[in-house]
Amino acid sequence: MNKYRTHNCNELMQDNSEQEVILSGWINKKRDHGNLLFIDLRDNYGITQCIIDKSNENFKLLEKIQLESVIKVNGKVVKRSADTINSELKTGEIEVDINSFEVLGTCKELPMPVFSDQEYAEEIRLKYRFLDLRRKKIHDNIILRSKVIAFIRSEMFKLGFLEFQTPILTSSSPEGARDFLVPSRLNPGKFYALPQAPQQFKQLIMVSGFDKYFQIAPCFRDEDARADRSPGEFYQLDMEMSFVEQEDIFQVVEKLIVNVFKNFSSKKLMKEKFPRIPYDESMLKYGSDKPDLRNPLIISDLSNIFTREDVTFEIFKKLVKSGSKVRCIVTKNTKEKPRSFFDNIDKWAKEQGASGLAYFTIEKNENISAKGPVGKFFSKEALEAIMKITGAEVGDSIFFACGKINDVEKITSQARDKIAKDLDLIDENIFAFCWIVNYPMFEKNEVTSKIEFSHNPFSMPQGDIKNIDFENPLNIKAYQYDIVCNGIELSSGAIRNHVPELMYKLFSIAGYEKAQVDEKFSGMINALSYGAPPHGGIAPGIDRIVMLLANEKNIREVTMFPMNQNAQDLMMNAPSEVNEEQLKELGLALKLKK
RNA sequence: GGGGGUGUAGCUCAGUUGGUUAGAGCGAUCGCCUGUCACGCGAUAGGUCGAGGGUUCGAGUCCCUUCACUCCCGCCA
């Protein structure tokens, strides 16, 4: 018999009454009646109420023990009387009458209470993460994460995928995020990089003939944090398949995601076959390539309206003439909304750094007219044209933004979220997935005017390889796709370019010489010239999937030992300084900015 | 790199127009209490008001600088 316990803290029931048992766990809560003491004993599985009174020689000792101490109790299971049953607890029909106890782990005065639903400052939670993780909500989140990952593994094996590990110490790559660098002792002056993703390795696995690969892969990117983005490291369900087209990958991933979300959440899926939205359409209708499809608001382009003679909104007309765009959002039946509703949104837009949002409400007395600060600038015919383009009806309001296309996309995208929130249009009990497809292969850097890869340089361009229009690279689309859920980017993937000549050509457009490509991507470009199968894949973010399933807004709530916003681990004191010897051995000297 | 929010007891927070000795709940310590499950009751301890500087007869409160945490922009193929 195990010396610490005969049962865990969640399994004793009426059937066990009169049994002598041993339980071990943390003291979750004490209720001391002076001559009678209740102790809620907690372990990973649940809580059992234990009881002792002054007739027991241990009573005085047990009374004094700190919460969160670890103790072992020997006692007898007794049925509770009907009026003392606690229906909140699985073990609420019984209690353990303590005979003797032993302290297994003492506990100092707590820096933060464990048994409480209160929220605490992030700093203290992270410093004492081992205490924070005892708290029910986050404890359950971490267990959920484990179950989700186990489920995904099992589904992937069922689908015929093989799991492989890829190197953590690898080479730095010029594209993408900043790398974490690791100095090499045996090769002074040279550095490994931690992988931003196992991108090249998984393609090499395909070239090696393994057909279907997956991995719950750690990825490292040295970029600044956000609520849904851990600094430093995160996990992807990395996968790759040979001899597939885009649609084959969609089939596999849709099935997997639908299974996972149905299994681990009671929320409904808006559609089980995810809508496929071309990138250009998404940018127009939602102003973003990660639209929240729970939000019914749609953006329309009204630039042409501002070239009409019977529209006299001169500021916008002037901007449109010089190449700016006008985009708008229609809100249904908002004519009764107070002036403050509209002004707040305009004020909010200014706070976001935009020049504000113009608005009016469509009315009809004898004729169609527009009510609002800028309503007078629009003729009846112009309003009818706007209504035709946007689908707006009498009683609806229209918000306008004007600016350079990137700026106007950004502010209308944010306004779409903001207005929907203000009008309470978003159903929180839905997961709305979609595929964003047909990404452009290249984009122009606004600052340098150089052509750059817009996503993944290894993606296959669309169309007949022999007839791709390399003269107009910005028109080339790629077999590149993202999954988006409720406005959160869950993953991106692509059909890869497995043709070396084509790869060199695309890299040359982005300003890379052949020799540079050979050097920077030596492993892969070399492999592609020794019989590479057509292949493609995707890499859904595990942390974000669990975050959605756990209904959390912050990724730290589903990460066991996260770092803070400045990429510091407050519990382990990482990163830390190293001593002179270590630096010397690596051939490094520090030259810090003061 | 830039912008916003927060910072008062171990924890969560209140603190009025600048005005006496900075408060509450939880936690801790001590005492009372035999059916609680957020047990109850009483008492005690606990404060560099994030730090530094300034204005003022007087600063938790106003001003400047700075630090920490956090959210956002940039960044994240």
Side-chain angles (χ1 to χ4, degrees):
Chain A
M1 192 177 75
N2 177 289
K3 114 188 200 195
Y4 296 113
R5 59 186 175 195
T6 56
H7 298 79
N8 70 41
C9 292
N10 202 40
E11 59 182 335
L12 293 173
M13 324 275 271
Q14 288 218 19
D15 291 351
N16 302 96
S17 37
E18 300 306 308
Q19 284 180 18
E20 294 291 336
V21 298
I22 306 175
L23 297 180
S24 285
W26 289 260
I27 298 177
N28 193 57
K29 191 72 188 165
K30 285 191 295 189
R31 290 175 295 281
D32 188 352
H33 291 228
N35 293 313
L36 175 71
L37 172 65
F38 296 97
I39 287 181
D40 289 340
L41 197 66
R42 183 196 73 238
D43 66 10
N44 179 63
Y45 308 99
I47 288 177
T48 301
Q49 175 168 285
C50 303
I51 185 168
I52 189 168
D53 73 15
K54 67 172 177 189
S55 65
N56 190 302
E57 58 178 358
N58 291 310
F59 180 77
K60 281 284 168 203
L61 291 170
L62 201 45
E63 235 186 344
K64 297 294 165 212
I65 292 181
Q66 288 273 358
L67 293 183
E68 292 305 311
S69 299
V70 179
I71 62 170
K72 165 183 142 178
V73 304
N74 294 56
K76 191 165 78 177
V77 181
V78 293
K79 263 188 216 175
R80 296 202 207 178
S81 64
D83 56 327
T84 61
I85 284 175
N86 182 351
S87 54
E88 308 267 298
L89 290 183
K90 196 168 163 234
T91 61
E93 295 190 339
I94 57 92
E95 61 199 8
V96 170
D97 194 359
I98 298 173
N99 181 26
S100 61
F101 82 100
E102 184 185 332
V103 178
L104 301 176
T106 58
C107 181
K108 297 199 285 192
E109 187 178 343
L110 294 166
M112 54 179 280
V114 170
F115 174 65
S116 167
D117 291 329
Q118 250 171 5
E119 307 230 11
Y120 303 101
E122 205 68 33
E123 196 171 0
I124 197 154
R125 292 184 60 193
L126 293 179
K127 183 166 180 196
Y128 295 96
R129 191 61 163 180
F130 48 88
L131 292 179
D132 193 36
L133 287 166
R134 290 181 194 172
R135 296 166 65 219
K136 180 153 179 48
K137 191 164 173 230
I138 189 162
H139 200 87
D140 288 348
N141 282 353
I142 300 297
I143 290 171
L144 172 69
R145 183 186 175 114
S146 172
K147 288 183 174 164
V148 169
I149 289 176
F151 181 84
I152 287 173
R153 275 216 165 85
S154 130
E155 291 291 297
M156 294 302 284
F157 285 127
K158 275 192 223 161
L159 288 165
F161 285 79
L162 299 170
E163 184 174 21
F164 301 118
Q165 285 71 52
T166 51
I168 299 298
L169 293 175
T170 181
S171 63
S172 179
S173 68
E175 286 285 323
R178 277 184 213 97
D179 286 316
F180 280 101
L181 298 176
V182 180
S184 167
R185 176 180 59 85
L186 294 175
N187 304 277
K190 293 190 176 176
F191 293 82
Y192 302 97
L194 306 183
Q196 295 178 24
Q199 181 63 38
Q200 292 190 61
F201 288 111
K202 71 173 169 180
Q203 294 193 236
L204 289 162
I205 289 170
M206 294 300 102
V207 178
S208 309
F210 287 101
D211 203 60
K212 288 180 180 172
Y213 143 90
F214 86 100
Q215 177 181 199
I216 309 292
C219 303
F220 306 90
R221 295 177 192 176
D222 188 5
E223 295 294 349
D224 290 350
R226 288 288 183 277
D228 63 353
R229 204 165 82 199
S230 297
E233 53 189 86
F234 61 98
Y235 283 81
Q236 287 183 341
L237 166 59
D238 194 42
M239 66 171 96
E240 197 77 5
M241 292 176 263
S242 288
F243 306 111
V244 288
E245 296 178 275
Q246 182 165 294
E247 196 57 34
D248 298 308
I249 291 170
F250 287 8
Q251 297 297 329
V252 167
V253 174
E254 264 183 36
K255 194 173 159 193
L256 178 77
I257 296 272
V258 167
N259 271 346
V260 168
F261 278 75
K262 276 188 167 174
N263 240 282
F264 291 100
S265 177
S266 54
K267 290 191 187 181
K268 288 207 165 55
L269 272 61
M270 187 178 256
K271 287 194 173 119
E272 289 193 21
K273 183 166 166 58
F274 306 164
R276 284 111 218 255
I277 304 173
Y279 173 85
D280 291 341
E281 181 186 331
S282 184
M283 294 310 288
L284 176 61
K285 287 169 71 175
Y286 311 107
S288 159
D289 64 350
K290 39 183 181 179
D292 186 346
L293 295 186
R294 295 174 304 174
N295 181 342
L297 301 174
I298 303 283
I299 298 164
S300 307
D301 189 293
L302 290 182
S303 306
N304 287 337
I305 295 291
F306 290 83
T307 59
R308 294 167 63 116
E309 291 295 319
D310 58 350
V311 171
T312 53
F313 194 177
E314 294 303 332
I315 312 169
F316 277 24
K317 288 185 82 168
K318 209 170 173 184
L319 286 166
V320 168
K321 209 173 240 171
S322 63
S324 284
K325 296 285 177 192
V326 178
R327 298 267 164 97
C328 75
I329 295 173
V330 174
T331 57
K332 302 306 284 179
N333 196 25
T334 37
K335 65 173 185 297
E336 303 297 342
K337 286 279 170 191
R339 175 76 185 250
S340 62
F341 164 75
F342 299 95
D343 286 346
N344 277 340
I345 289 170
D346 181 47
K347 189 179 144 210
W348 163 88
K350 289 188 170 109
E351 282 165 8
Q352 305 308 306
S355 41
L357 288 177
Y359 63 85
F360 60 66
T361 297
I362 299 171
E363 296 195 327
K364 185 171 185 183
N365 297 318
E366 299 210 340
N367 281 320
I368 297 285
S369 66
K371 184 190 157 200
V374 301
K376 59 178 184 249
F377 298 123
F378 298 86
S379 72
K380 168 175 160 290
E381 290 73 21
L383 291 172
E384 281 164 355
I386 289 173
M387 291 165 76
K388 199 172 168 194
I389 293 170
T390 61
E393 296 168 314
V394 172
D396 297 350
S397 311
I398 304 187
F399 291 86
F400 302 82
C402 180
K404 287 190 190 134
I405 186 153
N406 288 350
D407 296 336
V408 83
E409 278 168 353
K410 196 176 129 198
I411 190 64
T412 49
S413 166
Q414 290 175 320
R416 206 179 145 258
D417 292 338
K418 163 74 178 166
I419 294 168
K421 203 173 277 174
D422 286 2
L423 293 173
D424 197 23
L425 299 177
I426 292 176
D427 183 346
E428 291 289 341
N429 284 309
I430 288 181
F431 288 122
F433 287 95
C434 63
W435 292 100
I436 306 297
V437 299
N438 303 348
Y439 273 83
M441 188 83 212
F442 297 101
E443 64 191 7
K444 198 178 214 169
N445 184 312
E446 289 291 319
V447 182
T448 62
S449 288
K450 277 169 121 171
I451 302 284
E452 296 177 346
F453 288 108
S454 70
H455 251 69
N456 185 328
F458 307 128
S459 298
M460 182 67 105
Q462 292 188 15
D464 182 0
I465 292 178
K466 293 188 189 73
N467 297 319
I468 292 174
D469 180 11
F470 294 112
E471 298 304 309
N472 297 298
L474 293 176
N475 293 336
I476 301 173
K477 304 288 186 207
Y479 285 113
Q480 165 83 43
Y481 36 84
D482 278 13
I483 296 181
V484 174
C485 177
N486 296 359
I488 291 176
E489 183 191 321
L490 271 193
S491 61
S492 65
I495 296 297
R496 320 298 176 188
N497 180 354
H498 67 288
V499 183
E501 299 76 46
L502 183 56
M503 185 92 84
Y504 286 127
K505 179 71 196 166
L506 294 169
F507 267 102
S508 77
I509 290 170
Y512 290 87
E513 303 280 333
K514 183 168 184 293
Q516 283 175 288
V517 179
D518 284 339
E519 189 201 329
K520 288 294 179 189
F521 305 101
S522 64
M524 217 169 71
I525 201 85
N526 193 28
L528 292 182
S529 51
Y530 286 92
H535 61 285
I538 194 164
I542 296 280
D543 314 78
R544 285 183 182 173
I545 288 174
V546 179
M547 192 171 106
L548 285 169
L549 291 171
N551 205 20
E552 293 287 0
K553 296 247 180 308
N554 193 297
I555 205 143
R556 289 187 297 272
E557 301 301 325
V558 296
T559 307
M560 206 157 195
F561 298 113
M563 296 199 284
N564 71 7
Q565 193 168 45
N566 295 320
Q568 298 159 341
D569 181 334
L570 299 176
M571 186 175 60
M572 303 297 279
N573 280 325
S576 58
E577 290 172 352
V578 297
N579 64 41
E580 202 53 44
E581 280 304 300
Q582 288 171 290
L583 288 175
K584 204 175 152 194
E585 195 165 43
L586 294 166
L588 297 179
L590 297 179
K591 198 171 175 184
L592 299 174
K593 275 184 266 179
K594 56 173 178 182

